[in-house]
Amino acid sequence: MLKKLFRTKSVQHILDEAEKGLLEESHGAKLNRTLTVRDLTAFGIAAVVGAGIFSTIGNAAASGGPAVSLLFVFTAIACGFSAMCYAEFASMIPVAGSAYTYAYASFGELIAWIIGWDLLMEYAIGNIAVAISWSDYFTGFLAGIGWVLPEYITMDFLSALRGHDQVVHMLAQGQAISDIPYSLASAYHAWEKAPVLGPLHIVADVPALLITLLISLLIYVGIRESRNASNIMVGIKLGIIFLVITVGFFYINPDNWSPFAPHGVTGVLKGVSAVFFAYIGFDAISTTAEECKNPQRDLPRGMIYSLLICTVLYIIISLTLTGMVNYSELAVGDPMAFVFKQVGLNWLSGVVAISAVIATASVFLVFQIGQARIWMVMSRDGLLPKRFAKVHPKFHTPSFSTAIAGFVVAVPALFMNLTEVTDLTSIGTLFAFVLVCGGSLVLQNSKSAPTPKFKIPYVNSRYIVPALLATGIYLSYQYNGEGWNQFFSMQDPAGKEFGWDVFKHKIPMLLFILVSCGLSVAAYVKKLSLIPILGLTSCLYLMTELGTTNWFRFSIWLAIGLVVYFSFSYRNSKLNKLTQTG
C-alpha cells in the first residue's frame, strides 16, 4: 500500500491526458486558450498588489522601520527562487493544476493530494479575508462620500455578537458609550439595530457577499471577460500607485530614514508574515496553463515579470511611506491614506481608498480563478467527484468548480470573522513553495523528465550549501548569542512558561535546522542544483516565523484532508484504477 500512496504520474502521461481534454461529462468542451504573456503578467500583478500594500505594510514598517524595504528584497529573493522552480515546471508541464500537478509528477499521489488540499485552503481562506477586507474598504469609501450603510449589513455576525457582549459589559461597569472604541461601538450598534427574526439577529456582511457573487459570475462567464476586467483593474491601480509615489516624493524628509533599522534584525523580521502576505498570488497564474496561447513560453515570463514589477513597487512605496512620516506612526490599518492626511493632502487619501477597492477586487478575481481550476484538475484525476471537472459547453470554464469556489467563500465571508486565520494563507503558500522547490530537485535528477523550455541555471551546490549553513550558524551565534541560549532553554524569558509550553514554540525552527542539515549532506553527496535548495530553505525559514498556532491549525486542515483522501480519493483515483487494470 505504501508504494501506491507515492505512485507518480510521468510528465508524458500528464501531457497526454491534458491533450485528450477533460472528462466525458464535459462533452468535448475545453478551456479557451486566450491568454498572452501580457495578460499573465497583469494577472500576477493583480494577485500580488492587493491588501498587503494598502494595510499590512504599515505594521511591518512600524516594527522594522525604513529597513522593512530590505525585508521586501529578501522576501522577493525567496519568492524568486520559488518562482524559477514554478517557471521550470510550468514550461515542462503546462497543465492547470499548478503545484498539485507538479507534486504528482515528482513526489507521488499522496503528496499531490496534500498540496492540492493545501491550495484549496490557501485560495479559499485567502479570499474570505479578501472579501471581508474589500467590504471594509468599500463601505469606508462610501462613508467618505456621504453614503453611510447600516452597520448590520456591513459587519459579520460573530463580530457584532462579540462586540455587543463586550460593550454591554463595559457599560455595566459605568463606562460611557462615547468612550468606547469605534470598532466596538459599531459592533454594538449593528447588533442593537439589526432586524430580529425570533431570537436571531440578522447581521451579515452583504458587500462581502456581493463581491463574491459578482466575481464568481464574471469567472463563470469566461476567461476572456476575466482577463479584460483584470487588465483594466491593474491599469487603474498601477496609475494610482505611480501617482502616490510621484506626489509622495516631494514630501519625503530624509531624516525619517534614520535610524534605518531602529529595532535591529529582530524588529525587521517581525514583519515577515505581513510582507510575505503582500507577495502571495504570483503562483496562482500557473493554474491558467490550459488557457494560455503558449504556456511553455509565456507562463515563466509572466511569473517572473510580475514578481519583479511588484518588488520594485513595494520597495519604492515602503521608502516613500517611511520617508514621509516617522516609522513609529505607521501602525495603522490604512498607512497610504494616513501619510497623505498627515501632510494635508486629504484628496489623495480618497484616491487611495478607490485604489484599495480596485486592488482587493483584482486579488479576489485571480484567487477565485485559481481555486476553481484546482478543484477541476483534482477531479480530473479522480481525487474529487467527477462533477467538479465539468467544463461549460458555451463559456468553456470549469462551471461547477467555479460555483462551488464561490459558495465556500461567500458563506463564511457573510457570517464569520476569519481575519485571525489569514496567516493560514501564508503558511499554505509557503508550504506549496517548499514542495515545488523540492519537486524541482527530484525532477532534475530524473532521466525520464523532458527538457523544459525554461530551465533553472544549474549551479553545483556541493560546497556552497554546507558553507552557507556553517556561515549562517556562526553569524547568528556571533550576533545573537542570547537568542541561541534562549533557544536551548526550557523556560521563557518572563519565567511564566516551562517545559512543553516552551518547547512547542521551537518545533518549527528545529524542523528547519534538521532539513537544512539534511539538504547540506544531500547537496554534497548528490551535487544538487543550488537555486531550488535556496528556494526551499528560505521559504521553510519564513514558515518558522509564522508561529506555532498557525502550524497547529495548518496541521488540522491537512489531517482533515487525509481523512477525505483515504475515505474517497485513494479508491477513486484514476491512477489507482489504471494500475489495477494494467
Side-chain angles (χ1 to χ4, degrees):
M1 180 179 177
L2 187 62
K3 185 177 180 181
K4 289 184 177 180
L5 292 177
F6 296 97
R7 53 199 173 202
T8 60
K9 277 188 175 184
S10 69
V11 174
Q12 192 57 50
H13 184 185
I14 294 172
L15 295 176
D16 289 343
E17 282 189 335
E19 184 65 26
K20 291 176 183 176
L22 304 177
L23 294 175
E24 291 79 4
E25 287 81 356
S26 299
H27 304 292
K30 293 185 179 181
L31 303 178
N32 275 335
R33 291 194 177 274
T34 188
L35 302 178
T36 65
V37 66
R38 185 188 67 178
D39 301 322
L40 294 169
T41 303
F43 270 140
I45 296 172
V48 175
V49 180
I53 201 169
F54 293 99
S55 56
T56 57
I57 191 175
N59 287 321
S63 299
V68 74
S69 58
L70 299 180
L71 187 56
F72 278 111
V73 176
F74 171 73
T75 308
I77 291 172
C79 290
F81 293 141
S82 303
M84 293 181 74
C85 294
Y86 265 95
E88 184 175 74
F89 267 116
S91 65
M92 184 190 305
I93 315 174
V95 177
S98 185
Y100 158 78
T101 301
Y102 309 155
Y104 219 144
S106 52
F107 292 114
E109 185 173 283
L110 179 61
I111 303 301
W113 166 264
I114 290 173
I115 194 61
W117 188 252
D118 160 61
L119 289 172
L120 293 179
M121 177 205 71
E122 172 196 337
Y123 291 138
I125 289 184
N127 258 359
I128 291 168
V130 170
I132 294 171
S133 178
W134 185 90
S135 174
D136 291 340
Y137 283 126
F138 181 68
T139 54
F141 169 70
L142 291 182
I145 60 175
W147 295 354
V148 180
L149 300 178
E151 290 96 336
Y152 58 84
I153 65 169
T154 62
M155 183 175 296
D156 62 274
F157 181 88
L158 290 179
S159 291
L161 174 61
R162 292 168 182 168
H164 177 266
D165 291 344
Q166 267 187 275
V167 172
V168 168
H169 179 71
M170 295 165 73
L171 293 175
Q173 292 182 326
Q175 190 166 349
I177 188 70
S178 58
D179 297 331
I180 292 173
Y182 176 77
S183 59
L184 286 178
S186 296
Y188 175 79
H189 292 307
W191 188 263
E192 288 291 318
K193 297 177 182 178
V196 178
L197 183 62
L200 182 65
H201 288 244
I202 310 300
V203 182
D205 195 340
V206 176
L209 172 66
L210 291 178
I211 189 62
T212 304
L213 293 177
L214 287 172
I215 295 293
S216 297
L217 179 62
L218 176 65
I219 297 169
Y220 188 97
V221 168
I223 191 65
R224 286 193 183 92
E225 291 76 8
S226 301
R227 174 200 65 189
N228 294 339
S230 171
N231 290 345
I232 292 170
M233 287 190 285
V234 167
I236 293 173
K237 69 180 177 181
L238 285 182
I240 293 176
I241 288 172
F242 288 138
L243 175 64
V244 165
I245 293 171
T246 303
V247 175
F249 175 81
F250 294 98
Y251 291 87
I252 288 176
N253 179 4
D255 291 340
N256 288 326
W257 290 333
S258 180
F260 195 66
H263 303 299
V265 175
T266 303
V268 175
L269 290 178
K270 283 184 179 179
V272 163
S273 175
V275 169
F276 182 78
F277 189 74
Y279 274 104
I280 287 176
F282 75 87
D283 59 308
I285 65 177
S286 63
T287 63
T288 64
E290 293 176 38
E291 290 153 293
C292 300
K293 290 183 177 179
N294 190 345
Q296 293 174 307
R297 183 197 66 186
D298 292 346
L299 274 173
R301 293 182 180 182
M303 278 187 269
I304 294 172
Y305 291 167
S306 60
L307 189 62
L308 288 173
I309 292 170
C310 293
T311 299
V312 172
L313 288 176
Y314 282 166
I315 293 171
I316 295 174
I317 286 175
S318 62
L319 290 173
T320 301
L321 296 183
T322 53
M324 291 178 67
V325 302
N326 188 275
Y327 72 91
S328 61
E329 300 179 39
L330 289 173
V332 295
D334 55 347
M336 288 183 66
F338 172 79
V339 295
F340 287 106
K341 287 179 182 176
Q342 293 298 99
V343 297
L345 297 179
N346 291 326
W347 67 271
L348 199 50
S349 296
V351 173
V352 170
I354 297 173
S355 183
V357 171
I358 296 170
T360 47
S362 69
V363 173
F364 196 103
L365 172 69
V366 179
F367 271 35
Q368 283 299 90
I369 288 174
Q371 184 186 173
R373 279 141 187 82
I374 296 296
W375 285 104
M376 177 193 75
V377 175
M378 292 178 73
S379 171
R380 204 158 65 185
D381 290 330
L383 303 185
L384 290 174
K386 292 181 179 180
R387 196 172 180 185
F388 284 93
K390 183 178 180 181
V391 173
H392 197 284
K394 178 181 178 181
F395 301 128
H396 298 279
T397 57
S399 50
F400 184 75
S401 291
T402 299
I404 292 298
F407 177 80
V408 300
V409 171
V411 174
L414 188 63
F415 298 110
M416 299 178 67
N417 179 3
L418 294 182
T419 52
E420 66 271 15
V421 297
T422 52
D423 278 353
L424 272 176
T425 305
S426 294
I427 199 169
T429 303
L430 284 166
F431 182 65
F433 287 2
V434 166
L435 285 186
V436 169
C437 292
S440 181
L441 289 172
V442 171
L443 283 193
Q444 280 184 355
N445 293 319
S446 173
K447 296 180 180 179
S448 61
T451 302
K453 290 187 177 181
F454 174 86
K455 189 166 178 62
I456 297 173
Y458 174 77
V459 178
N460 189 342
S461 65
R462 185 172 197 178
Y463 301 109
I464 298 176
V465 170
L468 287 174
L469 178 63
T471 303
I473 292 173
Y474 171 76
L475 291 176
S476 63
Y477 184 77
Q478 185 74 18
Y479 293 101
N480 192 23
E482 184 179 342
W484 275 86
N485 294 333
Q486 185 58 45
F487 182 76
F488 290 105
S489 172
M490 294 303 289
Q491 178 179 336
D492 76 324
K496 296 180 179 179
E497 293 183 340
F498 304 89
W500 169 251
D501 290 333
V502 175
F503 178 75
K504 66 183 181 182
H505 296 293
K506 301 174 182 179
I507 293 176
M509 182 55 71
L510 283 173
L511 176 63
F512 171 75
I513 293 171
L514 289 174
V515 171
S516 298
C517 292
L519 280 174
S520 295
V521 173
Y524 183 83
V525 173
K526 297 187 176 182
K527 301 179 182 179
L528 298 175
S529 179
L530 178 64
I531 290 176
I533 291 180
L534 293 177
L536 193 158
T537 51
S538 59
C539 289
L540 186 58
Y541 173 75
L542 290 174
M543 287 181 72
T544 67
E545 293 291 326
L546 294 178
T548 307
T549 301
N550 288 302
W551 281 70
F552 177 69
R553 290 170 175 167
F554 182 58
S555 298
I556 291 176
W557 176 256
L558 294 186
I560 294 172
L562 290 176
V563 171
V564 176
Y565 175 76
F566 286 108
S567 61
F568 176 85
S569 306
Y570 176 77
R571 296 192 313 273
N572 292 279
S573 163
K574 282 193 166 184
L575 192 58
N576 180 46
K577 295 177 180 178
L578 185 65
T579 53
Q580 286 180 346
T581 56

